[in-house]
Amino acid sequence: MEELEKLKQELKKLNIEYAKIKDVAIEKRAAFGRELNTKKTAIMDKIAKAEEALLDRKVEALDVTAPVAPNEKMPEVYSVFQGSKHPLMTELDRVVAIYQSMGFDVMESRQLDDEYHMFDSLNFAKEHPARDGYDTFRTEEGLIPPAHTSTMQNRVLKSYKHLLEEGKEIAVVVPGRVYRNEDVDATHEHTFYQCEGVYVSKTCTMGDMLGILREFFEKYYEQKLNIRTQPGYFPFTEPSLEFMIEKPKALGGKKGDFLEMLGCGMIHPNVLKMAGIDPTEYHGFAWGGGIDRLVMLRYGLKDVRYFESGNLNFLREFN
Ligand code: DAH
């Protein structure tokens, strides 16, 4: 800035010199004029350069997000603050990749759904108490943030049923964010993630389903696992099962320490019918389970609330 001011003063003085030209002897006037012009050009060049440099600095000062005064250098401590992928998203990608490697297609769930997809299309009888078991939130308009990824079953069946007509099978997984109106504690969150699986063909059996699930869990935990099932109840499957794995020794488990990982079963004939698929010709199985629980076991996490907490110390442990 100072330099620019000095140059401008020089230019002013020079302009005064020009006025003296009339006092200079006629034969010397041309040389006098040339000398002044050369000086003027030099000063003008310097002024242009100084202005350009100033402009560059001004552009630098336009970073409105900088946590320092304009024109100050960003301290080192800020330049190491980098965002990163949330651990749940990293794990969800791994989950989906395993199913993809087994030939499954992927369809995403949605954040807002309706009564039909949450309950009716899944064979929940009207006014049936099982509807209350899902602790659903509702918007003022009566829409439902999905309480499970099963809300997508009807859409999956409808969008992929052309494959059945072509003699192929339906094999789709649906990762998604789900919401439940329940008290939050170390093992319950109001917002969490699930992954749903839907498989339909002419010949599939429950044995195929258990094979797929075993394969998935063994790939996810990178070891052989003992599995077990017990009877469950879901209106959209018949029979319904709860699928369990024995907690691996490496993850602190003891023999006989079985954990319930997901719900599953053979798709109820009414669910197939509602999507326009003939249940006398085709059979299917489906499953759905929480991603948070899967990840907690893998990393030995004791509290599900970390995931939605935005706690940087927690998040940095995964980078
Ligand atoms: N939607 C169920 C839940 O969130 C889990 C489930 C059970 C999904 C059985 C399925 C199924 O697809 O067949 O509790």
Side-chain angles (χ1 to χ4, degrees):
M1 196 66 188
E2 265 170 36
E3 202 203 338
L4 189 61
E5 274 311 305
K6 247 166 59 191
L7 290 167
K8 282 184 179 168
Q9 290 303 327
E10 272 181 49
L11 189 64
K12 249 190 208 164
K13 276 188 207 151
L14 200 68
N15 284 338
I16 295 168
E17 292 290 301
Y18 273 100
K20 292 181 184 160
I21 200 158
K22 58 182 187 316
D23 304 327
V24 175
I26 224 142
E27 64 279 10
K28 288 186 182 161
R29 269 189 201 169
F32 182 80
R34 256 197 309 275
E35 197 188 331
L36 285 185
N37 283 345
T38 314
K39 275 189 189 164
K40 186 170 178 172
T41 314
I43 295 175
M44 296 286 277
D45 275 355
K46 280 188 193 164
I47 287 179
K49 277 202 188 106
E51 277 177 345
E52 235 171 72
L54 202 67
L55 209 64
D56 279 351
R57 283 175 59 187
K58 274 191 184 143
V59 168
E60 232 177 84
L62 277 178
D63 180 3
V64 294
T65 64
V68 289
N71 288 330
E72 258 176 41
K73 201 172 168 309
M74 183 88 90
E76 271 304 295
V77 61
Y78 289 112
S79 56
V80 297
F81 263 52
Q82 269 184 8
S84 61
K85 206 161 160 180
H86 192 283
L88 275 182
M89 293 301 103
T90 310
E91 296 300 311
L92 198 58
D93 283 353
R94 281 190 61 228
V95 167
V96 168
I98 294 172
Y99 285 121
Q100 280 177 314
S101 76
M102 293 159 79
F104 281 81
D105 218 346
V106 186
M107 192 165 169
E108 259 189 296
S109 179
R110 45 183 74 195
Q111 310 262 343
L112 213 49
D113 219 312
D114 54 28
E115 193 78 23
Y116 176 76
H117 290 92
M118 178 66 215
F119 294 119
D120 301 332
S121 71
L122 289 166
N123 195 41
F124 283 82
K126 287 246 180 287
E127 317 293 335
H128 194 283
R131 292 191 184 216
D132 299 336
Y134 283 84
D135 302 309
T136 48
F137 287 110
R138 267 164 220 272
T139 68
E140 283 168 6
E141 297 82 359
L143 294 170
I144 302 175
H148 56 177
T149 42
S150 304
T151 47
M152 294 299 289
Q153 280 199 18
N154 183 264
R155 294 191 184 93
V156 167
L157 296 173
K158 280 183 181 153
S159 353
Y160 284 85
K161 72 175 171 197
H162 62 94
L163 292 180
L164 298 176
E165 285 144 26
E166 293 163 23
K168 299 179 190 146
E169 63 285 340
I170 298 176
V172 179
V173 288
V174 187
R177 198 177 199 193
V178 296
Y179 309 87
R180 290 195 193 179
N181 187 4
E182 60 184 350
D183 291 339
V184 172
D185 62 28
T187 53
H188 296 89
E189 251 295 0
H190 50 69
T191 301
F192 56 104
Y193 289 81
Q194 282 191 334
C195 186
E196 189 86 2
V198 179
Y199 190 98
V200 182
S201 76
K202 278 197 167 160
T203 55
C204 69
T205 66
M206 195 178 268
D208 298 329
M209 176 179 79
L210 297 178
I212 288 170
L213 292 177
R214 172 194 283 280
E215 172 87 0
F216 167 76
F217 282 100
E218 290 188 344
K219 278 197 173 152
Y220 183 77
Y221 290 114
E222 298 171 289
Q223 58 194 291
K224 291 269 166 234
L225 293 169
N226 290 326
I227 63 169
R228 178 187 279 181
T229 59
Q230 65 185 24
Y233 171 72
F234 304 101
F236 36 100
T237 39
E238 181 57 40
S240 303
L241 298 177
E242 278 164 6
F243 183 91
M244 306 162 96
I245 63 169
E246 193 178 38
K247 191 172 173 183
K249 246 205 219 123
L251 300 174
K254 290 187 219 76
K255 192 122 198 79
D257 215 356
F258 279 88
L259 303 170
E260 189 207 321
M261 299 309 286
L262 49 78
C264 57
M266 299 304 288
I267 300 177
H268 195 289
N270 287 348
V271 173
L272 292 175
K273 253 191 251 170
M274 266 181 280
I277 295 173
D278 180 358
T280 61
E281 202 176 339
Y282 298 100
H283 310 280
F285 47 80
W287 65 93
I291 298 298
D292 306 53
R293 192 183 311 176
L294 198 73
V295 177
M296 283 170 76
L297 178 59
R298 181 167 149 97
Y299 292 101
L301 304 174
K302 295 277 178 284
D303 198 324
V304 69
R305 289 170 292 194
Y306 276 121
F307 288 131
E308 298 286 326
S309 71
N311 179 329
L312 288 179
N313 288 335
F314 168 72
L315 296 174
R316 285 198 190 105
E317 282 181 39
F318 294 86
N319 289 307

